[in-house]
Structure formats: structure tokens, C-alpha cells
Amino acid sequence: TVGAVAVDAEGNVACATSTGGMLNKMEGRVGDTPCIGSGGYADNLSGAVSTTGYGEDIMKVTLARLVLFHMEQGQSAEAASDVSLAYMKSRVGGLGGVVTVDPRGNWAACFSSRQMSWAAAQGGTLHHGLYAGE
Amino acid sequence: MLPLVVVHGGAGHVPKERSENSAMGVCSATQAAYRILQDGGSSMDAVVEAVTRLENNPFFNAGCGSVLNVKGDVEMDAIVMDGRTLASGAVSAVRNIANPVQLARLVMDKTSHACLTAEGASQFARSMGVVEVPQESLITEYARMRWRNNLEPSANPVECQMGKMG
């Protein structure tokens, strides 16, 4: 799965996610990616999220929308991402990752799996990572 | 500080020998999207560009490089959503499409629906002039090797793809 979130100069947010799905999946199996609120969500009033991980678990917690609910309650992009991933892991044992932005230009790249390749560009600086802690 | 773009290449297990290509892929996709934003482009244009680049990169599980289903075929899903209008578009179980994210955007822009699936999505693609590609062009040797390795009844494809608990 691959995905992106962005905030343009006018403060509009958007998300996009695309995937081949799960390895050796049943024919016709559809995961979280095309499901609004699970594979991605975007609202100028709170932010945008793109998710990756085990789709059946992401759908159980509607992970993308869950992150934004926490941000609407005042949590930062990073805290909201971490607490939502922790909920998915504790509630249904699911692993995954998210990239998150808010309309003011705060961002996060968080994951509960062993790794997630990510990159961010802001103010002319490129940030990137793959393993936890990078 | 605006504008800003953040990209991910998937939270699955990336073998060491592929991690460098994975890191380079997300960085170049991010830079391409950021250039669009710096030129005054929309956040929707930026995220579609970033994901298109990764769909075209065989090191990622999307577009070319997708994992295979149990029959050895490629079925793909994609979504886009616009935070200004809450409009969204998605496709699921689509085949023979190089860039499902661009088809998802057409669903958002050209239909009143949120998602089109399987043969219906393919018919819509044809009506929009989206060129179909042979499935072979989407399948990599790495994807075929993982598919074969996980056909055994004892295999654990989810753990193979996601890696063990982090």
C-alpha cells in the first residue's frame, strides 16, 4: 500500500491511497483502502490521513477517521496517530501505519509495525525514515 | 508552515535488500508532489502525483509491483478525498489499470458515486479513455516469488507481508 496527504498554500487538505491488497488474498477480497474513513479521510476542519496495514483490522476501527476524531478533541497529529494505532493494536491486534497532516501544517508519520517507508517535504526540507525512531 | 506533503510506502515488511529502493521511492515521490505545491498546485494534485509515482515504482505494493491474489492475478484498490468539499472517489478490485489512483479521482470528478468496483470500474475506465494495460506489465518477479512461497497451506501470507508484531 502507498499513500499521501498534503496541505496546499490555501490550507486545503487531501489524501490518496492505493494498493495491491494482501498477499495471496481471496479473489474479490477488498480491504480498507477504498473504504472512506478507513483507507483515507480528509476534512479541512481537522486534517487528512492515509493508512496502511492489515485492512480487515483497519476497517474494524475506521483508522483514518479515528485519527481525525482525536485531533478534533485537541490532540496533535502525532499524538492522535499514535493513540489510534495503539487502539487498533490493543483492540484487535492489528498492525499498521498512518501519515497525517492538519490544516496548520503539523504532520506525523507513525506506525506500529516494524517499519514503514515515509517521507515529508515542508519549508524546502525533506524528512524521511523507514524504521521506528527515525 | 504550508505547503506540506507526507508520503508512505506501506507498513509491511521490507527486506533489507529492498529498503534502499523503498526509501528512494518515497523521497522522489514526495519531492515531485512538493514541486506541484510550490508551483501553486492543489493538495489533490499533489497527493495524486505522489501516489501515481509510487504505483509506477515496482518496489511498492500498488500498481506495478502489486502483490498477487491466490490465483496469481492483480486486483487493486484506491481512494482519494478532498478536504475542502468532502468529495471522494474510490475503485476496488480493478484489473489491468496502471494507475488506480487516477481512476479513483475520475470517479470523484466525473460521477456522483463514491466507489466503483471490478468490471463496472473497468467499463468506467474505458468510457473515460483510460488505457488498459496487460496484467503482465503489473507483475514483478518478486511478487510472483512471494505468491508461490505463500501457496503452501502452512504459509502465513499476512505475517509474510506485515512482518511480526513490532
Side-chain angles (χ1 to χ4, degrees):
Chain A
T1 303
V2 300
V5 288
V7 195
D8 59 32
E10 292 173 15
N12 295 314
V13 303
C15 71
T17 310
S18 180
T19 189
M22 289 303 290
L23 187 54
N24 289 44
K25 64 188 177 184
M26 283 176 69
E27 193 172 16
R29 177 267 185 189
V30 174
D32 64 294
T33 295
C35 302
I36 191 168
S38 291
Y41 200 83
D43 183 345
N44 276 8
L45 301 186
S46 49
V49 181
S50 171
T51 69
T52 172
Y54 185 51
E56 277 70 9
D57 289 337
I58 288 174
M59 287 188 276
K60 286 175 182 171
V61 302
T62 61
L63 184 59
R65 190 67 184 88
L66 179 61
V67 172
L68 295 178
F69 279 134
H70 284 294
M71 289 166 71
E72 288 166 11
Q73 304 305 316
Q75 300 231 25
S76 69
E78 182 160 12
S81 301
D82 279 334
V83 73
S84 301
L85 286 165
Y87 178 75
M88 182 169 78
K89 189 170 174 179
S90 63
R91 191 76 175 80
V92 294
L95 297 178
V98 298
V99 289
T100 304
V101 293
D102 73 16
R104 291 168 303 286
N106 300 299
W107 60 274
C110 302
F111 49 99
S112 56
S113 52
R114 282 179 185 271
Q115 57 201 122
M116 177 177 82
S117 52
W118 62 269
Q122 183 180 37
T125 304
L126 181 67
H127 314 262
H128 64 91
L130 176 59
Y131 298 103
E134 285 180 335
Chain B
M1 179 196 312
L2 305 183
L4 151 70
V5 57
V6 193
V7 174
H8 71 77
H13 171 63
V14 177
K16 213 108 181 92
E17 66 274 11
R18 290 171 69 90
S19 55
E20 192 172 332
N21 282 296
S22 181
M24 285 193 303
V26 290
C27 286
S28 63
T30 301
Q31 288 165 322
Y34 191 61
R35 278 193 294 272
I36 288 176
L37 293 169
Q38 285 183 306
D39 293 345
S42 70
S43 51
M44 180 54 69
D45 289 343
V47 295
V48 169
E49 175 65 21
V51 171
T52 295
R53 297 267 178 138
L54 296 176
E55 287 174 335
N56 295 337
N57 185 326
F59 283 92
F60 294 94
N61 173 22
C64 174
S66 289
V67 298
L68 307 186
N69 71 14
V70 69
K71 295 179 70 175
D73 293 328
V74 172
E75 289 179 312
M76 300 167 284
D77 310 323
I79 190 169
V80 296
M81 185 167 186
D82 183 335
R84 188 171 48 86
T85 60
L86 300 190
S88 71
V91 289
S92 56
V94 287
R95 297 171 179 238
N96 306 101
I97 297 282
N99 297 112
V101 74
Q102 294 182 15
L103 189 57
R105 186 174 188 177
L106 285 170
V107 172
M108 177 176 76
D109 292 341
K110 306 291 186 185
T111 80
S112 59
H113 302 307
C115 183
L116 291 176
T117 193
E119 181 50 31
S122 297
Q123 287 170 21
F124 173 67
R126 285 191 285 272
S127 73
M128 288 288 120
V130 174
V131 175
E132 289 197 0
V133 298
Q135 173 166 267
E136 270 314 299
S137 69
L138 300 173
I139 296 180
T140 61
E141 253 326 292
Y142 179 70
R144 191 166 272 123
M145 176 271 291
R146 290 176 93 194
W147 168 68
R148 268 196 297 267
N149 290 351
N150 282 276
L151 284 176
E152 294 303 316
S154 58
N156 185 334
V158 173
E159 188 167 281
C160 173
Q161 181 165 1
M162 287 302 301
K164 292 182 172 55
M165 185 70 84

